Amino acid sequence: MKVLKIDHLGIAVNSIDEGRNFWSGILGLNFEGDETVAQQKVKTAFFPVGESEVELLESTEPDGPVAKFIEKKGEGIQHVAFRVANIEEALAELKLKGVRLIDETPRIGAGGAKIAFLHPKSTSGVLVELCERS
Ligand code: ZN
């Protein structure tokens, strides 16, 4: 598999509108609008930073994964996403190497990217997202 770069950092926030005050208002990152991914019960907003992006994640449901994360750990970095050239190939290789996968097959995330999560038990405690964009 080929890991191309850190695609984005996923940061769980209580409110994207409030989060924007820092990321956009103070750091000056460009806010490019938000998008709701109903299947993951989340609203996301991307802020490009050079070759990578910051992704703010706000839960749309009290039982969503981002709401549960904030309940346990508070706001903060929730996942790190790596861009890969071919996500199906990467998942097959990781599975072969005994890495625990949350998603055995990719699903469609924000911006139409193909994404899949790896289990933190296999990654030093970090929720890792793989992401392929065309
Ligand atoms: Zn992400």
Side-chain angles (χ1 to χ4, degrees):
M1 66 182 281
K2 187 154 174 59
V3 178
L4 302 172
K5 64 174 187 174
I6 291 181
D7 188 85
H8 62 269
L9 296 175
I11 299 173
V13 294
N14 289 318
S15 152
I16 285 176
D17 282 342
E18 279 171 34
R20 279 172 60 187
N21 289 334
F22 174 73
W23 298 97
S24 203
I26 293 175
L27 284 194
L29 305 183
N30 218 8
F31 172 63
E32 298 193 324
D34 53 43
E35 179 184 344
T36 296
V37 184
Q39 191 212 9
Q40 286 158 58
K41 300 178 179 174
V42 78
K43 186 164 87 171
T44 73
F46 281 90
F47 302 81
V49 189
E51 291 265 292
S52 300
E53 298 186 78
V54 166
E55 175 188 28
L56 297 188
L57 302 148
E58 174 188 329
S59 193
T60 55
E61 305 284 338
D63 66 340
V66 169
K68 285 183 188 156
F69 176 89
I70 290 176
E71 211 176 280
K72 266 196 256 171
K73 300 186 175 170
E75 291 183 303
I77 293 187
Q78 194 243 2
H79 66 269
V80 178
F82 293 100
R83 175 95 57 101
V84 293
N86 183 322
I87 196 167
E88 284 87 0
E89 211 175 87
L91 288 172
E93 184 180 328
L94 291 167
K95 195 176 176 186
L96 211 65
K97 289 178 173 167
V99 173
R100 263 176 80 179
L101 308 176
I102 293 174
D103 301 301
E104 300 246 334
T105 53
R107 44 185 155 128
I108 301 302
K114 284 202 257 182
I115 66 166
F117 287 95
L118 314 183
H119 200 285
K121 282 245 153 63
S122 292
T123 62
S124 322
V126 178
L127 179 60
V128 171
E129 175 186 333
L130 299 182
C131 149
E132 178 190 331
R133 297 180 194 273
S134 43

